[in-house]
Structure formats: structure tokens, C-alpha cells
Amino acid sequence: MAVERILKDEASEEKGERARMASFVGAMAIADLVKTTLGPKGMDKILQSTGRGREVTVTNDGATILKSLHIDNAAAKVLVDISKVQDDEVGDGTTSVVVLAGELLREAEKLVAAKIHPMTIIAGYRMAAECARNALLQKVVDNKENEEKFKLDLMKIAMTTLSSKILSQDKEHFAKLAVDAVLRLKGSTNLESIQIIKKPGSSLKDSFLDEGFILDKKIGIGQPKRIENAKILVANTAMDTDKVKIYGARVRVDSMSRVADIEAAEKQKMREKVDKIIAHGINCFVNRQLIYNFPEELFANAGILAIEHADFDGIERLALVTGGEIASTFDNPESVKLGHCKLIEEIMIGEDKLIHFSGVAMGQACTIVLRGASHHVLDEAERSLHDALCVLSQTVNDSRVLLGGGWPEMVMARDVDELARVTPGKKSHAIEAFSRALVAIPTIIADNAGLDSAELVAQLRAEHQKEGCAAGIDVITGSVGDMAELGISEAFKVKQAILLSATEAAEMILRVDEIITCAPRRREDRM
Amino acid sequence: MAAPAISRPRSSKTDSYVDNKRKEDIRHANIVAARAVADAVRTSLGPKGMDKMISAANGEVIITNDGATILNKMEVLQPAAKMLVELSKAQDAAAGDGTTTVVVIAGALLKQCLSLLSSGIHPTVISDSLHKASIKAIDVLTAMAVPVELSDGESLIKSASTSLNSKVVSQYSTLLAPLAVDAVLSVVDPAKPDLVDLRDVRIVKKLGGTVDDTEMVKGLVFDKKVSHAAGGPTRVENAKIAVIQFQISPPKTDIEQSIVVSDYTQMDRILKEERNYILGMIKKIKASGCNVLLIQKSILRDAVTDLSLHYLAKAKILVLKDVERDEIEFITKTLNCLPIANIEHFRDEKLGYANLVEEVPLGDGKIVKITGIKNMGRTSTVLVRGSNQLVIDEAERSLHDALCVVRCLVNKRFLIAGGGAPEIELSRQLGAWAKVLHGMEGYCVKSFAEALEVIPYTLAENAGLNPIAIVTELRNRHAQGEINAGINVRKGQITNILEENVVQPLLVSTSAITLATECVRMILKIDDIVTVR
């Protein structure tokens, strides 16, 4: 039967069962790829770049792995996206969300094979997700009133987050770093005032938190190396010459002395500019652009510490933390907000000299200096610490806390199972499937740790039939343990985000019944 | 193109138990690759270690014994092998010495891990146990260490010479070791002893002579000639030195300029003005009493012209031109003077003083020495000599290692025996500790202990001794309580290594152990290599 061609030449179309299969397979392959990084005994991946330099990244962070993959499958892309969103929203659980979505699809595949309509599955999943969320809500603990306890909660969350990362051995040290840093923020989720500096050498546990700000620059020659009660002017201005910015502008003169005069005039202009800057009553001047020899000497004469060529990030952050503004004109000293700090001095980390601003105006600011064996370690440490900081800053705002170690999944699974039993109709199969997908998470955690997952999960399920149980998987001893005693906690916000976005993603993929690949845009031969 | 991840056959949940083959393969491949790197540098360990000749892609040849340098030039591609290269760089940054040791230890640990993995122990268990063992190892090492005072020059020299002994320049260690100690001690600020910046020690390389002629100069050395343009002085006593950042040449504005000449009398006038302009500047310089000028290189215009050099020569001012901008800080710090960026600021208080500035012929070139500097800053300069470029480069690297060793001692004032003694002692104590541990942990710690024996084993092997006989005897001696017994490579037997003056800073050993463990743990935790954009 000859059918008129509807689509363009190279476009392709996959329909019904085939389309669904393609998206299931793609999504599950992605979930399987990151599955092994889940949990405290999860493994790392090497990401080898095919680009120039063949750079190598070693990571355990789901979002980092997924966002650097080449992906051609539409459903797989959806999963990568939810992982990214999870990273932006709460910062942690990027692997869990993909794995849960993958498991939901795996279950859905079986149901579809059993001739249950995708829409029925979706309806079931929705009910189950709602029920699971309520189950969690009933179990949350909120210690916002009690400061001592709240801080302890934060510590626990930080440790739980870090325990699956490279920092796990020194997790107490780093958890303390992260909690201290986040508490300084006083509720803001703006992580910009936490600066992370990486310096190779020494080992991870020599990393430290420093109140204040560290700038990786040098102080000008002949200028004071230490200033107390500093008044800082942060600027972005040309300190070579103020050029006329019109192309082709030139001066015509008729003698050498005139040239000398103009040069002197230029110097004079610069001197005036420096005088104006000095007139702000400052003793530290930080410029984003170069400071030439001549103004540098003028600053040195005036006993002002001048730092040139601070990078963009550097000055913006410096302006933020010292409470100053970035200035580019200097005519009105009174209208420019100066930054303040108690002490500026040179410090030495590893082999490098850095400039340290302590006692800065904005008390929230702090710097975490990471040390480690190599760039790979440092980069991964930064990613891990970033995850912890994100989760903590979210928790400070939403202080509801859950236990970890597979406990929330089991709690949800139990309630969802209950629901399945009382729901009439085909939907109950989908609800049951949802509960199986939830249980898959503790199963994977146990599998990654090389434990007998079937045995452990069965025990866990039995434990959870009791009211008020706190049982979870204790991967260290390889048995079922009391999560409250072990101090393993997770933020409610993270769990909720995982649950909801995974369900949504699964639902979206389930709804697909046709994939249309557009013909690639033809490159015109440029003749 | 479909991503490989998607085209791979997927595993359903039920068969995840058997689908671990690929992971094992990748881990295996990583370990094999990393060990290959470690084996490549193994033979350069110790005083009788051999050197490597590296011929770079551009035809340059390097001969070296320094692990960090060898690995740096090797251009490995395999990701895990790259991590070992990084490891040696990290050791270089942290301690400066022991860059070969750290890689060899990592290689040995990986070898042990391979057998642990094949006996079915989970990688994270191995990783955790290694971490515990390394913490314990640091405790043991610290307990073995002997405190040292900075005033105790002899101990410092001993440890510097231990580091130098394994290099090409070992026969000069009696000369270079005290030199390294002096150089570092002269830059230590008593107020801030932790803040030793090796950039305050300048190493100037000059071809010619032998390594024997290497010397430390109290003052400044420039590998440059004095400008001879117009027969200016080449030797000035009681020098008043100015470091200038402006140019003694006809004026040039930042804005584009052109001089319009309409007839030739004007040309004469312009020439005259140019002369007067320069003369005016030189008069001002002369008026301050300055007789030595160091002129910063300028890219915008000529720093000096023939004309100005001529006048400067007439004014009996010694001129050294083309000083790099990043050297200015070092120079001003040494001379205790301030750079001058404008002729108007040319004042007496910004000048530096020295007893003698002279040009010295050396080898086939000339250098300028400034000595007897008044109120000299905390810097030092070492002039390295050698008969060919390869020797000089290697001498510089060796000297750098020695300087690092001394710096380590300044930072952490503890010494420890060398010659494989600490490693054997560690191996013995950790072995004993492993017996009281439970389960897999004990097994892994035991492997860690065994891996550490690689250092004495390799030392003996490289020295042409019977490694098995030596290591077993060493073990025996340590078991009898001689914790400082080590391999005396010169005598080819086991002696008390502390008495033989073979010592090294504690920091080198501890950082080698911690860094190697950290790196091995990272390699162990990898189960997949993913190709990405």
C-alpha cells in the first residue's frame, strides 16, 4: 500500500510500542549508569573528555556525570534534565532522582507488558506519590526551636551527604566546615559569599575554614604588606591612561618639547586621578585592571596598598563581603561606598602567597581553603562540599529533617503498599509497582556495598511494620541498624524533590507514544 | 551517533549480581596502567638509582633523576596513570622531595590491592582500611622522629645531603648541601618562621666551569652584560643603585602623536630638543648621586637609546638594562630600595647602597654582581655552574629539592632516619597492629604493611644488592629493636642509619604516605570510564 510520504527525507518516526520501548530503554540505561555511585559505598566514575587535552575528571556526583554525557535518546535527556534541576534546586540527591525515575519506568514497563494502559499507570503513580509524600510529612522532625538540636541535625545531614563522597573519611571535619560556613550565612541561600579556594598539596584534612576573604593576588612593590583597620576602595578603572576612545584620534605637534609636554600632561592626569582616589581616605585600593608602574609608585608613596588585576569574580565578591561598591569614577568621594575590614595581610598556603582580608564588614563571608593530593581530588572535593553547602542552606530555611539510610523509602513503601491494598481496580497494580520502585533504592545501596540486598531489605520491611521504627541499612556493619542512633539524617526538602520530580519525569516518559526525529538541517555548501 | 551508554545491553534488576564483569575489568585496567607508571620511575629511587633520558617532542633532551620531572614529561594518556603523575606533582608542591618515593609506594599499594580485590574484598572496605592504616602510619613515623633545632646546622646539612645523594650531582653534595641550608636560613624571617617562600631564593644558571664552582652570592647576580655602548664604567665601588621603571628615551605619549616638520631648520631644532630632554633627565639622575641604574624592560618604547647610553656613560653611571618587571620585586627587596617610576620622584631615599657592583667575566659570558648591600633584604642568590646545559638543569632541580628539604625542616622541625629504616619499621608495627584488628580490615592493613617494604626492597635492588637477603635481615634487626637500622648503600650492608648521617625531614615521609594512600583510594573507587564531550 503506497502511502504518501509525510515527513521529510531523513526524518524518522517511531510509533506505539516501539517508541515506548526506545524511551524505556534509554532512560533505564542512564539510570543504570549512575546507579553504582549511589550510597556511602558507591563507586566513582572517570569522565574522559574527547575534546582537547583529554582532560580527566573523577567524580561521584550524578549531576556532573550526566551533564557531561553524549546523549541521543530523548527519554534519557529528560532524566539528565531532572538531575540538573535537582542540582539547582536542592543541590543533592542528583543520583537518587535519576535512579528512582529509572526504577519507576522499569516497573511501568512490566505493567505495560501486562496490558495495563499507560494512563492507568500514571493515575496510580500519582496517587502513590501523594500518599508517599504524606507519609513523609507525618514523620518529619523539626528542631528549629531548639538551636542546639538544630545544629546537631545540620551536622548529621552534612555528614550523611558527605559520606557518599570522596570526603567521607574526614566527613566530621568537613561537615563542621560546611555547617559553620552555612550558619554564618544566617538563613540566606546565597552561596556566593562562601568562597572556595583550591590549593594542591598537603592532604584533605588540612582544609580549613577561614573567616574573611582570600584573594589570590600580589601586593604592589614597596607598599605596606599589612594594614589594620583597612578602608578599601574597589574599582574597575584603567590605571594606565585615560585614552580618548575614538579611533584615529591623534595629536599633531611640531617639536619634541611639545611631545614631552603632552607626556607630562598625561602623567599629570594620572597623578590627579590617583590623588582623587587617595582623597577617598583609603589605605587599600583594589583594581580589576592593571595598575602601571607610575600609579603604583604613587600609591606606594602614599602608603596605600594597591592590588592590580583582580579577576572579575574576585572584585565582585570582595565588594560584596567588605560592603563596598565597585567604583569607576572618583569625583565624588562622599558618594562612594568604601569597604572595610580589620586586617589585611599576606599569608602563605602551600607554595603561594595570598592576600587575606579578615574581619570583613559582612560577617557572613568566609573562605574555605581546600587542600588535597591532586587536582582531581580537589575538584571532586569542591563538588562534594558544594552539595553539602547547598543542602545545608536549604535546610536552614526548611528545617524539617528525616532519617536516612533507606529509611524514608521504606516508610513511603509501607504506606503506599497500604494504599494499594485498599484501592480497587487496575490502579492498585501501579501503586504496588510504585512501592517496589521505592524499595529498589535501599536495595541498590546494599548492592553497591556488596551486601546481600534481598536479605537486608526483607529484614528492613519486617522492621518497618512496627510503629515508630527507625531502621535503615547500616552499610558499615552490613546489617539493619537504628538510623537515629547512627546519626544519619537527610533533609526533607531533598527527599520531597526526589520523589516529586522522579514521578513527574516517569509520567512524562510514559505518556510518549510516538517519537519523531526531525531531519537534520542541511548544511549548505558554501561555495 | 548513539551514545555507547545507550547501545550497551541493559541489565534487568534481577541479574545485577552477575553484571559486574565490566567494572572489574576497568578497575583492573586502571591499576595495571598506574602500576606501569610506577614501574617506570622505580629504578631511579635511592642513591644508586639510575637516571632517565627523556627526549621531548621538540627534540630537547633532559636527563634527570627527579620523579616529578620524569612523570611530567611522560605525556601519559590513560586516566588512572595521569593520576599518578598528579600525585607526584602534589608531593613536589607539599614537600619538594620524595617525588619518586610517593609514586613507588602508590604502585606497591596498587599491587597489593589487586590481590585483595581478586580475593573478593569490596573496594570500599580496602579503601577504608588503607585510610586507617595511613593514619596509624603517621603516628608511628611521628613517634620515630627526632626534633631538630634550626641552630643545629649540621643536622640540616645532613638531611639536605641525603636528598642530594640520589642525584647526578651527588659527588658535590658536600658543597651543595651547606649552600642550600645557608640559602634557606638566610630568607627565614624570625618573626614568621612558617612563611618560607622559596621564590626568595634565586637560582641563576650560567654555563661553564663545573658544578664545583657553584656558589651562593650575598647579594644580587644578573645574567646580563653591563651596557657597553659608549665605554661606561663596568665596576663601581660604593654604589648608589636606582631601580627605575621609566624610560630614558625621547618622550612618547599614550595617545597617538606625530610631529609635523615643515623645513629642515625645524629638524635641527627637534634633534637638539631631544638631546636636551635626555640630558635633563640624566642630570637629575646624576644630581642624586646615583651611579648604578637598573632599568626595567619596556614594551611600549625603547627603555634606553644609544644617545642616552652615551650620556649615561659620560656621567659615569653603570647601566644594566632589560630587567624584567616580575624581577623588580625581588631586586627591590634585596637592595632595600624602592622602584622609581617617574623622573620627578628620583630622590635619595629611594636608592639602594652596595659596596661593589662589577661585571665579572664567567665562562663564555659575563655576569653582573652586586655585593656588600647595605641593609640587605631576606633573599639569597645561588649561582649554579656546570659544564653543559643538561648538568646545569639537573643541578638546579637537585638544588631545588635540597632547598625544599630544608624548608620542610623549617616548617616542621623533625628529622627521621633515611635508608629505608622508617618504611621497614612502619611495616613491622603495622603488621603487628593488623593482627589485633578484626575481619577484612586486619587483612588489608597487613597488605598495606607489606606494600611498604617496597622502598627498602627497591633501594637494595637499585644498589645491586640482594633485595631479599637485605629486606629479611632488615626486618630481623628491626624486630630486635634497632629501629634506626637501614640500608647503607655505600657499604652494601645494614647499619644504624642515623649514625651514618642519612636523615630526611619527617614531612617528606608523612606526606608521601598520606598522598599515596589518598591517590590509591581514589583509583580503587573508580568503576567506570565514561567518554564525555
Side-chain angles (χ1 to χ4, degrees), chain B residues 29-50:
Chain B
N30 280 340
I31 291 178
V32 169
R35 278 189 56 205
V37 171
D39 282 343
V41 294
R42 212 169 76 102
T43 51
S44 64
L45 189 81
K48 298 247 166 139
M50 289 296 149

PDB file of all heavy atoms in Angstrom, chain B residues 29-50:
ATOM      1  N   ALA B  29      42.192  -2.607  34.686  1.00  0.00           N
ATOM      2  CA  ALA B  29      42.944  -1.847  33.682  1.00  0.00           C
ATOM      3  C   ALA B  29      43.569  -0.609  34.306  1.00  0.00           C
ATOM      4  O   ALA B  29      44.734  -0.284  34.042  1.00  0.00           O
ATOM      5  CB  ALA B  29      42.021  -1.436  32.541  1.00  0.00           C
ATOM      6  N   ASN B  30      42.795   0.067  35.173  1.00  0.00           N
ATOM      7  CA  ASN B  30      43.319   1.265  35.830  1.00  0.00           C
ATOM      8  C   ASN B  30      44.539   0.939  36.662  1.00  0.00           C
ATOM      9  O   ASN B  30      45.541   1.636  36.634  1.00  0.00           O
ATOM     10  CB  ASN B  30      42.256   1.868  36.744  1.00  0.00           C
ATOM     11  CG  ASN B  30      41.261   2.681  35.967  1.00  0.00           C
ATOM     12  OD1 ASN B  30      41.546   3.093  34.857  1.00  0.00           O
ATOM     13  ND2 ASN B  30      40.096   2.879  36.542  1.00  0.00           N
ATOM     14  N   ILE B  31      44.424  -0.131  37.428  1.00  0.00           N
ATOM     15  CA  ILE B  31      45.527  -0.470  38.325  1.00  0.00           C
ATOM     16  C   ILE B  31      46.753  -0.856  37.513  1.00  0.00           C
ATOM     17  O   ILE B  31      47.868  -0.428  37.817  1.00  0.00           O
ATOM     18  CB  ILE B  31      45.084  -1.603  39.285  1.00  0.00           C
ATOM     19  CG1 ILE B  31      44.035  -1.049  40.244  1.00  0.00           C
ATOM     20  CG2 ILE B  31      46.269  -2.142  40.044  1.00  0.00           C
ATOM     21  CD1 ILE B  31      43.486  -2.052  41.205  1.00  0.00           C
ATOM     22  N   VAL B  32      46.548  -1.619  36.458  1.00  0.00           N
ATOM     23  CA  VAL B  32      47.695  -2.031  35.645  1.00  0.00           C
ATOM     24  C   VAL B  32      48.380  -0.807  35.036  1.00  0.00           C
ATOM     25  O   VAL B  32      49.607  -0.684  35.070  1.00  0.00           O
ATOM     26  CB  VAL B  32      47.231  -3.011  34.547  1.00  0.00           C
ATOM     27  CG1 VAL B  32      48.342  -3.230  33.540  1.00  0.00           C
ATOM     28  CG2 VAL B  32      46.815  -4.327  35.168  1.00  0.00           C
ATOM     29  N   ALA B  33      47.570   0.126  34.546  1.00  0.00           N
ATOM     30  CA  ALA B  33      48.154   1.318  33.928  1.00  0.00           C
ATOM     31  C   ALA B  33      48.931   2.132  34.946  1.00  0.00           C
ATOM     32  O   ALA B  33      50.047   2.592  34.689  1.00  0.00           O
ATOM     33  CB  ALA B  33      47.058   2.168  33.310  1.00  0.00           C
ATOM     34  N   ALA B  34      48.345   2.307  36.122  1.00  0.00           N
ATOM     35  CA  ALA B  34      49.007   3.114  37.144  1.00  0.00           C
ATOM     36  C   ALA B  34      50.300   2.442  37.588  1.00  0.00           C
ATOM     37  O   ALA B  34      51.317   3.099  37.823  1.00  0.00           O
ATOM     38  CB  ALA B  34      48.073   3.316  38.330  1.00  0.00           C
ATOM     39  N   ARG B  35      50.262   1.118  37.673  1.00  0.00           N
ATOM     40  CA  ARG B  35      51.480   0.425  38.096  1.00  0.00           C
ATOM     41  C   ARG B  35      52.577   0.545  37.047  1.00  0.00           C
ATOM     42  O   ARG B  35      53.755   0.603  37.378  1.00  0.00           O
ATOM     43  CB  ARG B  35      51.171  -1.044  38.369  1.00  0.00           C
ATOM     44  CG  ARG B  35      50.593  -1.244  39.756  1.00  0.00           C
ATOM     45  CD  ARG B  35      50.504  -2.706  40.068  1.00  0.00           C
ATOM     46  NE  ARG B  35      51.797  -3.353  39.922  1.00  0.00           N
ATOM     47  CZ  ARG B  35      51.942  -4.655  39.669  1.00  0.00           C
ATOM     48  NH1 ARG B  35      50.882  -5.406  39.522  1.00  0.00           N
ATOM     49  NH2 ARG B  35      53.129  -5.169  39.573  1.00  0.00           N
ATOM     50  N   ALA B  36      52.177   0.571  35.786  1.00  0.00           N
ATOM     51  CA  ALA B  36      53.175   0.711  34.733  1.00  0.00           C
ATOM     52  C   ALA B  36      53.938   2.018  34.909  1.00  0.00           C
ATOM     53  O   ALA B  36      55.160   2.073  34.753  1.00  0.00           O
ATOM     54  CB  ALA B  36      52.496   0.675  33.369  1.00  0.00           C
ATOM     55  N   VAL B  37      53.197   3.070  35.285  1.00  0.00           N
ATOM     56  CA  VAL B  37      53.848   4.358  35.518  1.00  0.00           C
ATOM     57  C   VAL B  37      54.808   4.254  36.693  1.00  0.00           C
ATOM     58  O   VAL B  37      55.952   4.718  36.642  1.00  0.00           O
ATOM     59  CB  VAL B  37      52.788   5.440  35.788  1.00  0.00           C
ATOM     60  CG1 VAL B  37      53.430   6.717  36.249  1.00  0.00           C
ATOM     61  CG2 VAL B  37      51.979   5.674  34.542  1.00  0.00           C
ATOM     62  N   ALA B  38      54.349   3.602  37.755  1.00  0.00           N
ATOM     63  CA  ALA B  38      55.188   3.479  38.938  1.00  0.00           C
ATOM     64  C   ALA B  38      56.449   2.691  38.605  1.00  0.00           C
ATOM     65  O   ALA B  38      57.552   3.034  39.043  1.00  0.00           O
ATOM     66  CB  ALA B  38      54.410   2.802  40.065  1.00  0.00           C
ATOM     67  N   ASP B  39      56.313   1.647  37.808  1.00  0.00           N
ATOM     68  CA  ASP B  39      57.480   0.842  37.457  1.00  0.00           C
ATOM     69  C   ASP B  39      58.490   1.635  36.644  1.00  0.00           C
ATOM     70  O   ASP B  39      59.688   1.393  36.725  1.00  0.00           O
ATOM     71  CB  ASP B  39      57.038  -0.403  36.678  1.00  0.00           C
ATOM     72  CG  ASP B  39      56.482  -1.468  37.601  1.00  0.00           C
ATOM     73  OD1 ASP B  39      56.751  -1.364  38.821  1.00  0.00           O
ATOM     74  OD2 ASP B  39      55.774  -2.376  37.132  1.00  0.00           O
ATOM     75  N   ALA B  40      57.975   2.581  35.867  1.00  0.00           N
ATOM     76  CA  ALA B  40      58.873   3.350  35.015  1.00  0.00           C
ATOM     77  C   ALA B  40      59.859   4.176  35.832  1.00  0.00           C
ATOM     78  O   ALA B  40      61.002   4.377  35.423  1.00  0.00           O
ATOM     79  CB  ALA B  40      58.069   4.259  34.091  1.00  0.00           C
ATOM     80  N   VAL B  41      59.424   4.650  36.996  1.00  0.00           N
ATOM     81  CA  VAL B  41      60.328   5.511  37.764  1.00  0.00           C
ATOM     82  C   VAL B  41      61.019   4.751  38.888  1.00  0.00           C
ATOM     83  O   VAL B  41      61.865   5.296  39.580  1.00  0.00           O
ATOM     84  CB  VAL B  41      59.586   6.729  38.371  1.00  0.00           C
ATOM     85  CG1 VAL B  41      59.110   7.642  37.281  1.00  0.00           C
ATOM     86  CG2 VAL B  41      58.448   6.301  39.253  1.00  0.00           C
ATOM     87  N   ARG B  42      60.664   3.480  39.060  1.00  0.00           N
ATOM     88  CA  ARG B  42      61.146   2.730  40.215  1.00  0.00           C
ATOM     89  C   ARG B  42      62.667   2.687  40.268  1.00  0.00           C
ATOM     90  O   ARG B  42      63.273   2.809  41.329  1.00  0.00           O
ATOM     91  CB  ARG B  42      60.594   1.314  40.155  1.00  0.00           C
ATOM     92  CG  ARG B  42      60.337   0.679  41.483  1.00  0.00           C
ATOM     93  CD  ARG B  42      59.544  -0.581  41.264  1.00  0.00           C
ATOM     94  NE  ARG B  42      60.422  -1.626  40.765  1.00  0.00           N
ATOM     95  CZ  ARG B  42      60.881  -2.607  41.536  1.00  0.00           C
ATOM     96  NH1 ARG B  42      60.538  -2.672  42.782  1.00  0.00           N
ATOM     97  NH2 ARG B  42      61.669  -3.515  41.032  1.00  0.00           N
ATOM     98  N   THR B  43      63.296   2.526  39.105  1.00  0.00           N
ATOM     99  CA  THR B  43      64.748   2.342  39.112  1.00  0.00           C
ATOM    100  C   THR B  43      65.501   3.614  39.444  1.00  0.00           C
ATOM    101  O   THR B  43      66.711   3.578  39.613  1.00  0.00           O
ATOM    102  CB  THR B  43      65.226   1.836  37.750  1.00  0.00           C
ATOM    103  OG1 THR B  43      64.695   2.700  36.761  1.00  0.00           O
ATOM    104  CG2 THR B  43      64.759   0.426  37.505  1.00  0.00           C
ATOM    105  N   SER B  44      64.797   4.739  39.525  1.00  0.00           N
ATOM    106  CA  SER B  44      65.557   5.954  39.843  1.00  0.00           C
ATOM    107  C   SER B  44      65.528   6.264  41.335  1.00  0.00           C
ATOM    108  O   SER B  44      66.018   7.291  41.760  1.00  0.00           O
ATOM    109  CB  SER B  44      65.029   7.135  39.023  1.00  0.00           C
ATOM    110  OG  SER B  44      63.716   7.410  39.374  1.00  0.00           O
ATOM    111  N   LEU B  45      65.008   5.362  42.124  1.00  0.00           N
ATOM    112  CA  LEU B  45      64.930   5.593  43.571  1.00  0.00           C
ATOM    113  C   LEU B  45      66.281   5.335  44.236  1.00  0.00           C
ATOM    114  O   LEU B  45      66.976   4.389  43.891  1.00  0.00           O
ATOM    115  CB  LEU B  45      63.865   4.670  44.173  1.00  0.00           C
ATOM    116  CG  LEU B  45      63.503   4.910  45.624  1.00  0.00           C
ATOM    117  CD1 LEU B  45      62.518   6.053  45.726  1.00  0.00           C
ATOM    118  CD2 LEU B  45      62.906   3.675  46.246  1.00  0.00           C
ATOM    119  N   GLY B  46      66.625   6.159  45.184  1.00  0.00           N
ATOM    120  CA  GLY B  46      67.769   5.894  46.040  1.00  0.00           C
ATOM    121  C   GLY B  46      69.086   6.406  45.504  1.00  0.00           C
ATOM    122  O   GLY B  46      69.175   6.850  44.359  1.00  0.00           O
ATOM    123  N   PRO B  47      70.107   6.365  46.358  1.00  0.00           N
ATOM    124  CA  PRO B  47      71.399   6.940  45.999  1.00  0.00           C
ATOM    125  C   PRO B  47      72.037   6.246  44.801  1.00  0.00           C
ATOM    126  O   PRO B  47      72.817   6.838  44.076  1.00  0.00           O
ATOM    127  CB  PRO B  47      72.246   6.752  47.247  1.00  0.00           C
ATOM    128  CG  PRO B  47      71.480   5.912  48.161  1.00  0.00           C
ATOM    129  CD  PRO B  47      70.070   5.862  47.721  1.00  0.00           C
ATOM    130  N   LYS B  48      71.731   4.960  44.605  1.00  0.00           N
ATOM    131  CA  LYS B  48      72.307   4.287  43.445  1.00  0.00           C
ATOM    132  C   LYS B  48      71.268   4.145  42.347  1.00  0.00           C
ATOM    133  O   LYS B  48      71.386   3.283  41.489  1.00  0.00           O
ATOM    134  CB  LYS B  48      72.841   2.917  43.866  1.00  0.00           C
ATOM    135  CG  LYS B  48      73.942   2.994  44.896  1.00  0.00           C
ATOM    136  CD  LYS B  48      75.270   2.535  44.349  1.00  0.00           C
ATOM    137  CE  LYS B  48      76.380   2.947  45.271  1.00  0.00           C
ATOM    138  NZ  LYS B  48      77.404   1.920  45.445  1.00  0.00           N
ATOM    139  N   GLY B  49      70.237   4.943  42.406  1.00  0.00           N
ATOM    140  CA  GLY B  49      69.206   4.896  41.372  1.00  0.00           C
ATOM    141  C   GLY B  49      69.745   5.435  40.059  1.00  0.00           C
ATOM    142  O   GLY B  49      70.717   6.189  40.036  1.00  0.00           O
ATOM    143  N   MET B  50      69.125   5.027  39.000  1.00  0.00           N
ATOM    144  CA  MET B  50      69.606   5.420  37.678  1.00  0.00           C
ATOM    145  C   MET B  50      68.840   6.645  37.183  1.00  0.00           C
ATOM    146  O   MET B  50      67.753   6.943  37.647  1.00  0.00           O
ATOM    147  CB  MET B  50      69.395   4.267  36.700  1.00  0.00           C
ATOM    148  CG  MET B  50      70.319   3.116  36.955  1.00  0.00           C
ATOM    149  SD  MET B  50      71.995   3.664  36.678  1.00  0.00           S
ATOM    150  CE  MET B  50      72.894   2.655  37.824  1.00  0.00           C
TER     151      MET B  50
END
